[in-house]
Amino acid sequence: MSANPDIPATAIAEAVRAGSTSARSMVQASLDRIAATEPRINAFTEVLSERALRRADFVDAHPRRARMKLAGVPFAVKNLYDVAGLTTLAGSKIERTRPPAARDAALIRRLEAEGAVLVGALNMDEYAYGFTTENTHYGATHNPHDLARVSGGSSGGSAAAVAAGQVPLTLGSDTNGSIRVPASLCGIFGLKPTFGRLPRTGSYPFVASLDHLGPFARCAADLALTYDAMQGADRDDPACAQRGVEPVSPLLARGSGGLRIGVLGGWFRDMALTDATAAVDAVAQALGTTRLVELPEVERARAAAFVVTCGEGAALHLDDLRVRAMDFDPMTRDRFLANALIPHAWVMQAQRVRHWFARRVARVFETVDVLLAPATPCVAPAIGTDWIDIAGQRLPARASMGLLTQPISCIGLPVATVPLWGLSASAPHMPIGVQLIAAPWREDLCLRVAAALEAQGICSAPVARGL
Amino acid sequence: MTVVDHSAYIDAAAATLGLKITAEQRKGVAMYFGLAAAMAEKLEGLPLHAADESGNVFVPVVPEGEG
């Protein structure tokens, strides 16, 4: 097999299992691609060449290699995942002074148990508080499809590495949209599973009651394969549900036929530019639906996610805010300081509103299986953009990237994000994502629809050219 | 949106928590606190009841090797 950066993880694993290529050659190809493109992308904060090649040799010699689902597949993780021997940075300068992690995060261990090979750690917004990965300490991660634009965030390195063909798989985290936003802006597939589905053990928290972990890939089959390998209960994460593995890969071929699909209206159209609504309309047309669905009180749900984030996120950093506030990224410092001061009653009220909203949305899912919404209000803005005009309002550009994702992660629904192209009149070379949203624990439906759209040629995630 | 001057609250809360807000940080902190306050204001007015209490649930920790 050649070292083509377009090769999906499923094909790499199949070839390594069959012995037609080696894990070492696939990992070396990934390391070479990283070395060639990284000066322009800045996706990685650490490349683990020695560890990766040693692990690749381990996979090649492993007696179970022919049964490993991810045999020889290179992957990388957002730098809030623990990697044994590395200090977990979470995008910060402050964490540099902490001791290195003693063991890998649970999801890394699960992927490596299936033969995947970790090749590095990826850039992000400091402490996951941002949607653009314009990190002052480690530099901005550039969008591989237009280097002058942001990659999205906070898992910007995770999305850019996949879009640049550096690795076929990455892991990120999503508290308010940090998988779905960069997947949308970098033109790749992303999955934010149901809250509590995947264990967060060995990852640096942002907002414990909202944090989700999940994968990025360039096709739905790779997303499903990775997700399946990571499922399962873990007693070390109290939020992780005690559910067995429910594999979705065998279900992808069922397609979208028979599913009741609706398009979210109201907030989800009002707060999106035509780039984004056109993407949703294209998906709706491909799926043969004209049904419009309105959720109640979406703006309040977004506000609830915002306030919970303020309260929980800042409390975690109170000690550092007291003694070394100047070591925070200027992009987050004043926000964390302000958020540390908010009254507890606001946060509790936000949690109650969140609970109210979850119950109302559950009723909606009694008559619909999958809901469609834009993942971002627009395509990736230029690095350094401060303001954006949406619905006649001048809004802060960075925070507004999550306007359409926050109400959904607020209540923990599973979402697959799929990339569409050529829908922006001003930037026809840029992608934009559509959220495929299902009821809790129905990741299978999100991924079935994603696979169906891919099979129809509606969405795709080509590696960026000319890097 | 209700217009409230939060500056006295910010000073008192910062002092209570042992946080120093420098002159350089003050404008940004006030702006972000005001943004949070505006969001919190949106959370008022829903007909919430006891059954809508937070879903945050404490999970007891079982000793290793048990359960």
Side-chain angles (χ1 to χ4, degrees):
Chain A
M1 176 179 276
S2 69
N4 181 341
D6 284 307
I7 300 171
T10 42
I12 292 173
E14 190 178 343
V16 172
R17 280 197 299 270
S20 58
T21 190
S22 65
R24 172 172 268 267
S25 65
M26 291 295 99
V27 168
Q28 187 61 61
S30 172
L31 295 172
D32 291 346
R33 176 77 178 170
I34 293 166
T37 56
E38 189 56 10
R40 289 174 294 288
I41 305 298
N42 193 36
F44 282 78
T45 51
E46 190 83 34
V47 179
L48 301 164
S49 304
E50 192 180 325
R51 167 182 164 146
L53 291 169
R54 194 168 62 240
R55 185 74 192 181
D57 291 341
F58 173 82
V59 171
D60 283 329
H62 202 285
R64 206 171 63 81
R65 186 193 69 189
R67 296 193 302 280
M68 288 176 157
K69 292 175 183 160
L70 290 160
V73 175
F75 76 104
V77 297
K78 187 173 184 175
N79 73 24
L80 56 65
Y81 285 71
D82 284 352
V83 175
L86 284 189
T87 294
T88 307
L89 297 173
S92 74
K93 171 183 173 184
I94 289 168
E95 301 301 319
R96 283 182 203 157
T97 57
R98 317 280 193 224
R103 69 187 306 209
D104 293 337
L107 296 188
I108 295 175
R109 284 185 269 126
R110 289 181 179 183
L111 291 184
E112 290 211 322
E114 286 297 337
V117 179
L118 182 71
V119 301
L122 298 157
N123 200 12
M124 57 182 283
D125 289 291
E126 183 178 67
Y127 293 122
Y129 204 4
F131 286 121
T132 57
T133 313
E134 295 168 289
N135 186 307
T136 304
H137 309 306
Y138 303 99
T141 293
H142 297 254
N143 193 307
H145 295 286
D146 184 336
L147 297 173
R149 295 174 188 262
V150 299
S151 58
S154 64
S155 312
S158 303
V162 171
Q166 296 175 324
V167 280
L169 299 176
T170 57
L171 301 183
S173 66
D174 188 319
T175 303
N176 286 298
S178 288
I179 288 174
R180 294 160 289 159
V181 168
S184 174
L185 302 188
C186 285
I188 61 170
F189 292 77
L191 176 67
K192 186 203 74 63
T194 308
F195 181 78
R197 172 72 86 172
L198 299 181
R200 303 166 303 180
T201 310
S203 65
Y204 197 103
F206 173 25
V207 182
S209 78
L210 287 168
D211 289 342
H212 309 66
L213 303 184
F216 295 88
R218 285 195 301 274
C219 63
D222 282 4
L223 214 52
L225 180 69
T226 313
Y227 166 66
D228 285 347
M230 296 192 294
Q231 289 188 50
D234 183 339
R235 59 189 291 164
D236 289 331
D237 178 359
C240 187
Q242 299 300 305
R243 295 175 75 95
V245 177
E246 300 170 43
V248 299
S249 295
L251 308 177
L252 293 187
R254 291 187 183 178
S256 60
L259 296 181
R260 301 165 296 176
I261 297 171
V263 176
L264 283 176
W267 173 268
F268 294 96
R269 291 192 84 80
D270 296 344
M271 301 309 286
L273 303 187
T274 54
D275 312 0
T277 54
V280 172
D281 292 345
V283 167
Q285 186 177 13
L287 296 171
T289 184
T290 56
R291 182 177 171 186
L292 198 64
V293 176
E294 294 251 7
L295 302 181
E297 304 290 354
V298 176
E299 188 174 5
R300 287 192 213 258
R302 191 248 171 171
F306 192 102
V307 171
V308 171
T309 299
C310 291
E312 285 189 36
L316 184 62
H317 300 291
L318 194 54
D319 286 345
D320 288 320
L321 290 168
R322 285 184 179 123
V323 299
R324 51 189 303 192
M326 292 310 289
D327 287 339
F328 281 78
D329 189 328
M331 302 288 277
T332 67
R333 181 193 307 134
D334 291 357
R335 281 196 289 172
F336 275 130
L337 281 167
N339 294 348
L341 307 176
I342 72 170
H344 185 63
W346 291 0
V347 182
M348 294 307 292
Q349 177 72 357
Q351 291 285 14
R352 298 176 79 213
V353 169
R354 180 185 180 192
H355 199 55
W356 181 95
F357 184 61
R359 289 179 176 214
R360 297 308 180 281
V361 174
R363 288 183 199 160
V364 172
F365 276 110
E366 291 171 6
T367 62
V368 69
D369 296 308
V370 174
L371 294 168
L372 312 177
T376 49
C378 56
V379 300
I383 291 171
T385 299
D386 289 324
W387 298 96
I388 186 171
D389 293 321
I390 302 174
Q393 305 170 64
R394 191 160 189 253
L395 299 172
R398 296 179 181 90
S400 297
M401 288 297 116
L403 281 172
L404 308 173
T405 49
Q406 277 181 290
I408 307 301
S409 39
C410 176
I411 54 171
L413 304 178
V415 187
T417 302
V418 296
L420 282 83
W421 299 83
L423 294 165
S424 170
S426 60
H429 61 302
M430 294 307 294
I432 192 160
V434 172
Q435 297 185 85
L436 312 174
I437 306 157
W441 316 114
R442 297 310 307 269
E443 288 85 351
D444 59 321
L445 302 183
C446 307
L447 289 165
R448 276 173 55 190
V449 175
L453 291 166
E454 194 181 3
Q456 288 183 64
I458 301 299
C459 57
S460 62
V463 167
R465 300 298 169 199
L467 292 174
Chain B
M1 191 177 84
T2 311
V3 177
V4 177
D5 181 357
H6 298 110
S7 55
Y9 173 86
I10 289 172
D11 289 340
T16 302
L17 289 167
L19 290 171
K20 293 188 186 72
I21 311 292
T22 66
E24 184 191 28
Q25 294 157 355
R26 188 158 195 84
K27 185 179 172 192
V29 169
M31 191 266 285
Y32 286 116
F33 189 90
L35 189 55
M39 291 291 175
E41 191 174 346
K42 291 181 197 289
L43 301 174
E44 302 296 332
L46 273 184
L48 297 177
H49 307 287
D52 297 306
E53 196 46 71
S54 164
N56 280 0
V57 176
F58 175 77
V59 179
V61 179
V62 179
E64 285 292 332
E66 291 184 27

